[in-house]
Amino acid sequence: MNKHVSILIIGGGPAGLAAGVAAHKAGVHDILIVERDIRLGGILNQCIHNGFGLHTFKEELTGPEYADRYIKQVEELKVPYRLATIVTDLKLSDDGHTKIVTTMDEEGGLTVYEADAVVLAMGCRERARGALNIPGERPAGIYTAGTAQYFVNLEGRMPGREVVILGSGDIGLIMARRMTLEGASVKLVAELQPYSGGLKRNIVQCLDDYGIPLMLSHTVVKIHGEKRLTGVTIAEVDDHLSPIPGTEQYYDCDTLLLSCGLLPENELSGQLGVTLSPVTSGAVVNESLETSIPGVFSCGNVLHVHDLVDYVSEEASAAGNHAAEYIKEISEGVNVPDSDDKAAEGRVIVVTDGGVRYSVPSILRPDHMADLTTIRFRVGAVFKDVDVVTYADDREVMRIHKRVMAPGEMEQTVLRKTDLLKEGTPSTYRITIENKQS
Amino acid sequence: MEHKELICINCPMGCMLSVDIDDNGEMKVSGNNCPRGDVYARKELTNPTRIVTSIVNVTEGELPVVSVKTKEDIPKDKIDEVIAALKGVTVEAPVLIGEVVLDDVAGTGVDVIATKNVNRKH
Ligand SMILES: Cc1cc2nc3c(=O)[nH]c(=O)nc-3n(C[C@H](O)[C@H](O)[C@H](O)COP(=O)(O)OP(=O)(O)OC[C@H]3O[C@@H](n4cnc5c(N)ncnc54)[C@H](O)[C@@H]3O)c2cc1C
Ligand code: SF4
């Protein structure tokens, strides 16, 4: 017999934990968090550096300490969870209301759950090297930065001694410092783009502090070595990101770490038929962080890649609350539409342009909006001294000056419902950038 | 009058701070989103410090290592000594978050504490 559960949360990282705690506090106790690892906490278990939680806890914690705050709450509230159990399949029941979730435990045992609501909190994974398209052999010694982080911080093993890092994502920057401290020589960080994808603070603390050069507009053009990596050739790239002949430089190294970005892990969401955004690779969600399938919510890195765990927790708490509201609505018999097409009327579409790449949420339903809605977004290039401006159709709603914005750092604005609806319900809410000095 | 630009690293906001230093050495800090930025800029320009995080070996644990940090920040030029001192440390599981694994590291007066729970192997 299938087991029934009100809210099933896939993933026990910071997003899943915060969603579980919030849903429980909102009065729904029939919850299950399913985590494939042998411990809760997600990626935070390997992020031993500090810099987590200032916004949430008003103190600076390491990743495992931050995770522990939420794990404690989960334990204290007795929110049920299963470890070493992976969700292998996710689909809708024939009537379209129940979510059928199949899990597999360590011994291969399958359990099928019937859930009224599902929270997607699967996090993301690093872009694999196959996607990178570097010519040359494939010797040993090439790892994603996250894999290296796992080796060094959880197993106490060093992947190598002479290191080149391709990509200036945060994990790469953190690992540049980590491996330097462990005695490796980190030669350089090469970044294809003319700007870094990492947080400024990581560039200061992880590269500048140790004199490690960051070479912007550079990439690896050749990998040397047969069995084990012996070196790489780095070249400068032009405006079209193509290597410029004659700029090649050779570096000896036994390790190449790839830190070329993260991709939300949305295979399960795809199976379920959730509409995904081509920009974020995460689900398209409304103000309640609900996907195109009613009762399926998404938060954390599986929704869009976050750099700050504080915002993951904040977003996930909101998702947990909305999932709890959904459970209350269906138990009170409130009509839930079969698909979001039927609810399309009266929706406000959030449009982004002028350098704003995307927004989360991207759909606003005024009748479901709270007084304040946080809208998160990312920009596509570095902007200095500009205004972020929002419009309800053609009416200006907000104008905020920004000294600097970069693709590596998520931005957010808080929208007041009364400001949006001041002159009736608009059809679009537009977020753009103005006053660019070029 | 001297002008310096730096990035506050006290929290992930990473505010861009600009500091004007007048001829008497008086500093005026702007660009900070909270008072910690002001304190940081003054300190970074006179006595820079860092929290150091690393791992130490664990025996009998479900993991071979446990993550640790200096309980407070230590002078930046002591980082290497702190890391070297931690190389010699081995603790026995179970290890609890907050437990001191090494006191007064490298003569800084600061303790190094565990940042993760590691249970005993069973
Ligand atoms: C290397 C690195 C450094 C970072 N540094 C900082 C920092 O300094 N400061 C800061 O504030 N933030 C930092 N972050 C960001 C922050 O840690 C992440 O944004 C946050 O951990 C994301 O949380 P999550 O729960 O969405 O994902 P995760 O932590 O990835 O958790 C997802 C969980 O879901 C599980 N899962 C996935 N699929 C399944 C399935 N099918 N079945 C069961 N379980 C599943 C996974 O095992 C995992 O435990 C960093 C992130 C990384 C990767
Ligand atoms: S000034 Fe305050 S908010 Fe800004 S980075 Fe520093 S600590 Fe964070």
Side-chain angles (χ1 to χ4, degrees):
Chain A
M1 249 228 15
N2 295 348
K3 292 185 183 167
H4 176 265
V5 57
S6 293
I7 303 177
L8 190 138
I9 300 169
I10 310 177
L17 295 171
V21 166
H24 181 98
K25 285 184 178 164
V28 176
H29 297 171
D30 180 23
I31 304 174
L32 180 66
I33 301 175
V34 179
E35 168 57 52
R36 68 179 167 200
D37 202 346
I38 54 165
R39 58 177 65 82
L40 295 171
I43 198 80
L44 292 179
N45 283 310
Q46 67 184 67
C47 299
I48 66 162
H49 58 282
N50 63 311
F52 297 82
L54 193 89
H55 291 259
T56 313
F57 295 113
K58 304 289 169 235
E59 66 181 297
E60 202 179 342
L61 303 170
T62 62
E65 290 173 307
Y66 185 94
D68 189 60
R69 298 288 168 105
Y70 281 91
I71 295 170
K72 276 214 182 89
Q73 291 186 55
V74 162
E75 304 279 5
E76 271 159 24
L77 297 173
K78 300 198 166 57
V79 179
Y81 60 85
R82 286 186 68 186
L83 298 177
T85 304
I86 183 167
V87 172
T88 54
D89 193 64
L90 183 58
K91 60 175 194 258
L92 285 179
S93 61
D94 292 338
D95 69 2
H97 290 309
T98 306
K99 291 86 197 168
I100 317 276
V101 187
T102 308
T103 65
M104 188 170 76
D105 63 25
E106 268 175 311
E107 278 85 48
L110 297 182
T111 313
V112 179
Y113 293 93
E114 292 186 359
D116 295 320
V118 164
V119 178
L120 306 170
M122 292 91 79
C124 55
R125 62 175 144 65
E126 279 178 296
R127 276 176 214 272
R129 81 191 213 220
L132 291 170
N133 213 12
I134 305 170
E137 295 294 317
R138 285 288 177 268
I142 307 176
Y143 308 92
T144 64
T147 305
Q149 189 179 43
Y150 186 92
F151 286 159
V152 178
N153 292 343
L154 284 177
E155 296 183 345
R157 288 198 284 143
M158 282 285 278
R161 290 283 149 197
E162 294 197 300
V163 187
V164 167
I165 299 177
L166 174 62
S168 59
D170 286 311
I171 317 178
L173 300 176
I174 297 279
M175 285 312 291
R177 172 178 62 187
R178 190 74 193 100
M179 296 200 53
T180 304
L181 288 175
E182 289 297 322
S185 151
V186 178
K187 308 264 168 105
L188 71 128
V189 175
E191 168 60 57
L192 181 67
Q193 300 293 338
Y195 51 81
S196 166
L199 295 172
K200 280 177 294 207
R201 62 187 295 271
N202 285 337
I203 295 172
V204 174
Q205 260 187 326
C206 303
L207 301 187
D208 299 354
D209 268 12
Y210 299 92
I212 300 167
L214 170 61
M215 295 171 74
L216 297 174
S217 298
H218 278 75
T219 192
V220 171
V221 291
K222 193 164 165 42
I223 285 167
H224 305 264
E226 277 169 23
K227 286 215 173 79
R228 175 82 200 191
L229 185 70
T230 55
V232 294
T233 302
I234 307 272
E236 199 178 333
V237 298
D238 61 20
D239 293 348
H240 307 290
L241 308 181
S242 311
I244 304 171
T247 62
E248 295 88 357
Q249 271 176 290
Y250 175 81
Y251 290 87
D252 272 331
C253 62
D254 59 15
T255 306
L256 174 66
L257 298 189
L258 305 173
S259 180
C260 303
L262 300 161
L263 272 182
E265 205 156 354
N266 267 308
E267 287 72 14
L268 287 172
S269 323
Q271 271 181 23
L272 188 63
V274 162
T275 307
L276 299 179
S277 151
V279 182
T280 59
S281 305
V284 170
V285 293
N286 62 27
E287 76 300 318
S288 304
L289 302 172
E290 188 180 30
T291 66
S292 58
I293 298 178
V296 177
F297 300 82
S298 181
C299 55
N301 274 355
V302 78
L303 177 56
H304 56 142
V305 176
H306 291 64
D307 14 69
L308 297 188
V309 70
D310 305 71
Y311 297 145
V312 170
S313 303
E314 212 178 282
E315 185 177 273
S317 297
N321 276 322
H322 292 304
E325 275 161 30
Y326 175 88
I327 295 300
K328 285 178 199 158
E329 278 181 13
I330 56 170
S331 69
E332 285 159 11
V334 176
N335 237 345
V336 176
D338 292 335
S339 92
D340 67 342
D341 301 337
K342 291 186 188 155
E345 217 166 295
R347 296 193 312 179
V348 182
I349 305 296
V350 186
V351 189
T352 57
D353 58 22
V356 182
R357 284 181 59 226
Y358 73 85
S359 74
V360 168
S362 56
I363 297 165
L364 301 170
R365 298 172 304 169
D367 54 335
H368 283 76
M369 280 174 76
D371 293 340
L372 300 175
T373 303
T374 303
I375 301 185
R376 303 195 156 93
F377 61 92
R378 274 185 199 271
V379 295
V382 177
F383 293 100
K384 284 192 174 142
D385 279 317
V386 291
D387 293 340
V388 171
V389 193
T390 70
Y391 294 91
D393 288 335
D394 293 329
R395 176 176 55 88
E396 184 175 313
V397 177
M398 252 190 279
R399 179 175 288 271
I400 303 156
H401 184 75
K402 289 277 177 183
R403 269 186 77 188
V404 60
M405 288 192 290
E409 315 208 7
M410 191 186 289
E411 299 287 336
Q412 63 177 52
T413 66
V414 177
L415 171 62
R416 203 179 285 278
K417 183 175 169 180
T418 48
D419 288 346
L420 179 73
L421 303 178
K422 212 176 196 164
E423 292 171 13
T425 306
S427 59
T428 61
Y429 180 64
R430 187 160 71 93
I431 306 174
T432 190
I433 299 172
E434 294 181 2
N435 286 334
K436 282 173 258 194
Q437 278 106 11
S438 51
Chain B
M1 175 118 150
E2 209 189 331
H3 182 84
K4 289 228 160 101
E5 297 251 333
L6 65 166
I7 297 167
C8 180
I9 58 169
N10 270 289
C11 88
M13 288 281 288
C15 294
M16 303 256 282
L17 310 176
S18 70
V19 189
D20 287 318
I21 310 164
D22 72 15
D23 300 335
N24 303 322
E26 276 295 309
M27 294 184 191
K28 202 175 156 293
V29 182
S30 55
N32 49 316
N33 267 315
C34 85
R36 284 167 51 119
D38 187 279
V39 175
Y40 171 77
R42 289 168 200 278
K43 206 160 153 227
E44 189 66 11
L45 294 177
T46 49
N47 169 33
T49 62
R50 298 288 185 267
I51 297 258
V52 177
T53 62
S54 188
I55 51 171
V56 301
N57 290 322
V58 176
T59 53
E60 302 300 318
E62 52 171 18
L63 285 173
V65 293
V66 61
S67 53
V68 299
K69 70 173 182 186
T70 54
K71 198 167 178 199
E72 280 136 41
D73 37 7
I74 55 120
K76 194 174 150 186
D77 57 17
K78 286 271 188 183
I79 293 177
D80 286 345
E81 271 180 71
V82 169
I83 293 287
L86 289 174
K87 287 268 175 278
V89 177
T90 299
V91 291
E92 193 183 322
V95 190
L96 285 180
I97 284 193
E99 195 175 306
V100 175
V101 301
L102 182 63
D103 60 356
D104 184 15
V105 63
T108 55
V110 174
D111 293 344
V112 175
I113 59 172
T115 57
K116 192 185 284 184
N117 295 322
V118 177
N119 295 325
R120 243 182 131 78
K121 216 175 357 201
H122 33 238

